[in-house]
Amino acid sequence: MWILLGILAWAGGSALNVWLARQAPGRTAALAVPLIFGVTLIFVWEAAVRGFGISPVLLPAPSAIAARMAGSTGVLWEDFVQTVIKGALSGYVIGCLAAFGTAIVVDRFDFLRRGLLPVGNFVAALPIIGIAPILVMWFGFDWQSKAAVVVVMVFFPMLVNTVEGLRDTSAMQRDLMRTYAAGYWTTLLKLRLPAAMPFIFNGLKLATTLALIGAIVAEFFGSPIRGMGFRISTSVGLLALDLVWAEIVVAAVAGSAFYGGVALLEKAVTFWHPSQRGQG
Amino acid sequence: MRHVLPVLTVVAVIVAIWYAAAIWLNAQWALDTAARQDRTLGAAELVLDTWSQEKPKLPAPHQVVTELWQTTVEKNVTSKRSLVYHAWVTLSATLLGFGMGTALGFALAVGIVYIRVMDMSVMPWVIASQTIPILAIAPMIIVVLNAMGLSGLLPKAMISMYLSFFPVVVGMVKGLRSPSRMMRDQMRTWNATRGQEFLRLRLPMSMPYLFASLKIAMAASLVGAIVGELPTGAVAGLGARLLAGSYYGQTIQIWSALFMAAAVAAAAVGLIGIVQRATLKRMGMG
């Protein structure tokens, strides 16, 4: 019965999407198609769990997860504050500011730029998450160590992007600033920083996902008795998978909101850039 | 060549800072130990002591290098105490996940480029899937797959796959769409079929994008494999070495595992870079 319903929903959802995609492209269709896809997916998931009788220990149904979320808002909120606000957000701000400051110094001295940039590129490709146990050892179990992990994780992508962006002015533009008798600082503030903004926001967006991952994974190596990473790892041990999924939903929503917020800010700041123009 | 001197300078400065930090962080322990033995340490003794502790807060670079040398060259490769063995465990999961992720990403990209419904429905979810901190649920995936009877390489590889398919999808969609309208029209005037258009125009044009994506995917899948090893009870692999090291306060072991992971990442990404240069050169794009 449930299996049949799931198959029906799948067929209906995809048929509707095919039909919508054939229509004239517009804002509504662009929004509706992924939405229908998502809803279909959740429905098929629910139907499959019920139809095949999958044990809730393996994969809880979406309805069970929703019920759990509604039932334990207090715990979820406490974890959210501990991990996202205290750990990820503070680390994100410190790391991005530090990288930004370093980038300006590095940009000023060409020798530093040639030396630090390859090293920065190399470090950005490394599994930085591995330093989590060391930082937990240094800064203790509370949120300070999580923030430290996040600082290190966001630092290098941010640094590389900002330095790259600060070089993104043509000789002609810089010459024009010279004819205005603009000094280093005026050129930096009026020409080079605005020109670097698309790159800086690229780094900021990359860093949002890294920040959340860093804060959560760092909690696997030791944390006080709250926090999303802590809750996930202990709930897995207790086989309370509905709570784990509830934490994941919170993390996904927080991550998307974080990313979306930075993207909105980018739209407001770099409205002049080709990639932002022409989107309406 | 222009880069060699600045890079060496920066590396030298980092090593110098590292030694200084080792003195600063380890001094307290050295002083405490000395006080307990009713000794006073001179400046030179103090410095030497901070660089040669058993379980320092921050091991000095030469201690890490010694540990690396001992666990790679002097140990038998098949021994469980050999870092080469652990690196291989991690690398095999990484490569398997990387292969599966690349295949999945490639298939999705072809679908997205050719089928309009997929473009509209799947693409937003592919992007949304990456805002989820997937590493956070890695332990659960491992446990669930274990319960379903899958253990060993495959669960770790699945996490690597999840992390590595995304850059490939994004890069390949961009790459397969990079031929201009004029080029596609040219193919049509030659009466090319869709298959020929794909093989002769779109696929070759997407190569630079593919290699850029593969490098990111490789780095991501190594991270996935390492994190995937954390919850399996610290059996084998670089992630297990990290976890065991942090349980027992074996800082030197943590740092040497970190350096091994860095070396593996650098080697794997470097290898892709070499293949990239050779391929693009033969295609006349390098």
Side-chain angles (χ1 to χ4, degrees):
Chain A
M1 177 62 200
W2 275 104
I3 301 171
L4 206 66
L5 218 59
I7 294 170
L8 267 180
W10 182 254
S14 32
L16 191 62
N17 265 347
V18 170
W19 180 77
L20 269 175
R22 292 241 173 89
Q23 302 296 305
R27 271 191 86 88
T28 356
L31 222 70
V33 171
L35 213 64
I36 294 171
F37 182 76
V39 171
T40 314
L41 210 63
I42 289 178
F43 195 82
V44 171
W45 175 358
E46 177 87 40
V49 168
R50 290 186 182 217
F52 291 108
I54 296 173
S55 150
V57 172
L58 290 181
L59 187 69
S63 56
I65 297 167
R68 186 61 182 237
M69 281 187 77
S72 48
T73 41
V75 173
L76 290 176
W77 175 250
E78 191 184 287
D79 293 347
F80 174 79
V81 169
Q82 170 76 16
T83 304
V84 178
I85 308 281
K86 286 188 186 161
L89 213 57
S90 59
Y92 179 79
V93 171
I94 297 171
C96 287
L97 284 180
F100 186 75
T102 315
I104 286 177
V105 175
V106 166
D107 179 68
R108 183 95 214 233
F109 303 103
D110 195 50
F111 186 81
L112 259 183
R113 186 174 63 72
R114 270 186 285 152
L116 210 60
L117 218 53
V119 176
N121 264 321
F122 175 72
V123 175
L126 298 184
I128 305 231
I129 197 74
I131 57 153
I134 296 164
L135 291 178
V136 168
M137 216 175 277
W138 287 0
F139 293 97
F141 281 169
D142 210 354
W143 63 270
Q144 288 88 345
S145 63
K146 280 68 193 177
V149 173
V150 175
V151 168
V152 180
M153 276 189 84
V154 301
F155 185 81
F156 286 101
M158 190 63 199
L159 176 71
V160 171
N161 270 297
T162 311
V163 171
E164 204 67 35
L166 284 174
R167 297 180 63 203
D168 193 47
T169 47
S170 64
M172 194 101 83
Q173 289 168 322
R174 286 195 300 271
D175 280 352
L176 182 64
M177 291 307 277
R178 275 185 93 94
T179 62
Y180 293 155
Y184 169 79
W185 288 106
T186 322
T187 315
L188 184 70
L189 283 177
K190 297 267 157 88
L191 170 67
R192 302 180 60 213
L193 272 184
M197 276 306 156
F199 289 84
I200 294 175
F201 271 101
N202 191 23
L204 284 176
K205 283 200 282 189
L206 270 175
T208 52
T209 33
L210 287 178
L212 216 54
I213 290 176
I216 294 179
V217 173
E219 286 179 357
F220 294 160
F221 289 99
S223 63
I225 51 161
R226 56 179 180 276
M228 298 166 95
F230 166 79
R231 197 77 60 198
I232 289 173
S233 54
T234 47
S235 300
V236 166
L238 297 171
L239 291 177
L241 283 205
D242 47 352
L243 187 58
V244 176
W245 277 96
E247 292 281 357
I248 291 165
V249 172
V250 173
V253 170
S256 307
F258 199 1
Y259 186 91
V262 175
L264 276 183
L265 203 64
E266 177 185 25
K267 220 169 188 171
V269 174
T270 64
F271 57 90
W272 46 269
H273 195 259
S275 69
Q276 299 293 333
R277 284 190 315 227
Q279 284 178 359
Chain B
M1 264 312 162
R2 238 163 45 86
H3 284 288
V4 173
L5 188 65
V7 169
L8 283 181
T9 319
V10 168
V11 171
V13 169
I14 291 175
V15 171
I17 293 175
W18 189 345
Y19 269 113
I23 298 177
W24 180 57
L25 280 167
N26 300 336
Q28 195 58 46
W29 172 263
L31 289 176
D32 285 352
T33 324
R36 241 174 281 143
Q37 294 166 346
D38 281 330
R39 287 189 298 131
T40 44
L41 286 175
E45 281 175 307
L46 176 67
V47 168
L48 278 181
D49 187 85
T50 54
W51 287 348
S52 57
Q53 286 172 7
E54 185 89 354
K55 289 183 178 181
K57 266 189 141 176
L58 176 65
H62 67 263
Q63 287 179 292
V64 178
V65 172
T66 318
E67 166 85 5
L68 267 176
W69 178 262
Q70 281 172 357
T71 49
T72 50
V73 182
E74 290 178 4
K75 286 274 189 312
N76 201 335
V77 179
T78 49
S79 152
K80 282 217 165 165
R81 301 183 63 178
S82 163
L83 210 51
V84 178
Y85 164 79
H86 290 286
W88 170 245
V89 169
T90 305
L91 185 64
S92 52
T94 305
L95 290 179
L96 184 61
F98 173 75
M100 294 193 304
T102 307
L104 175 68
F106 191 80
L108 273 178
V110 172
I112 285 171
V113 167
Y114 277 100
I115 306 171
R116 205 176 135 64
V117 193
M118 264 188 87
D119 180 24
M120 290 182 78
S121 60
V122 177
M123 198 57 184
W125 286 97
V126 167
I127 294 170
S129 77
Q130 299 297 311
T131 61
I132 303 173
I134 186 67
L135 284 179
I137 58 171
M140 188 190 60
I141 297 175
I142 300 277
V143 170
V144 167
L145 288 178
N146 264 327
M148 285 164 68
L150 288 173
S151 59
L153 266 189
L154 208 55
K156 286 188 274 175
M158 303 273 278
I159 291 164
S160 294
M161 178 183 88
Y162 193 99
L163 283 175
S164 59
F165 90 94
F166 176 70
V168 178
V169 172
V170 173
M172 281 307 279
V173 166
K174 222 176 204 173
L176 289 174
R177 283 194 176 143
S178 61
S180 65
R181 167 139 244 146
M182 198 122 65
M183 291 173 172
R184 276 180 287 145
D185 280 349
Q186 177 76 78
M187 289 307 273
R188 199 158 309 146
T189 60
W190 285 333
N191 197 20
T193 60
R194 282 174 75 133
Q196 282 172 326
E197 190 205 20
F198 178 75
L199 279 179
R200 306 264 160 87
L201 175 66
R202 288 189 190 260
L203 197 60
M205 288 280 289
S206 68
M207 279 303 133
Y209 295 87
L210 176 66
F211 281 111
S213 306
L214 285 184
K215 283 186 195 167
I216 305 173
M218 182 57 99
S221 76
L222 182 65
V223 174
I226 290 179
V227 174
E229 280 162 357
L230 295 182
T232 47
V235 185
L238 292 174
R241 291 283 282 193
L242 285 179
L243 196 66
S246 90
Y247 278 165
Y248 301 117
Q250 298 279 6
T251 38
I252 301 179
Q253 183 186 325
I254 299 181
W255 280 96
S256 61
L258 266 182
F259 270 65
M260 199 64 195
V264 169
V269 174
L271 193 68
I272 296 176
I274 291 171
V275 175
Q276 171 186 26
R277 225 163 296 151
T279 313
L280 293 188
K281 202 166 205 172
R282 276 209 67 153
M283 288 171 60
M285 291 164 109

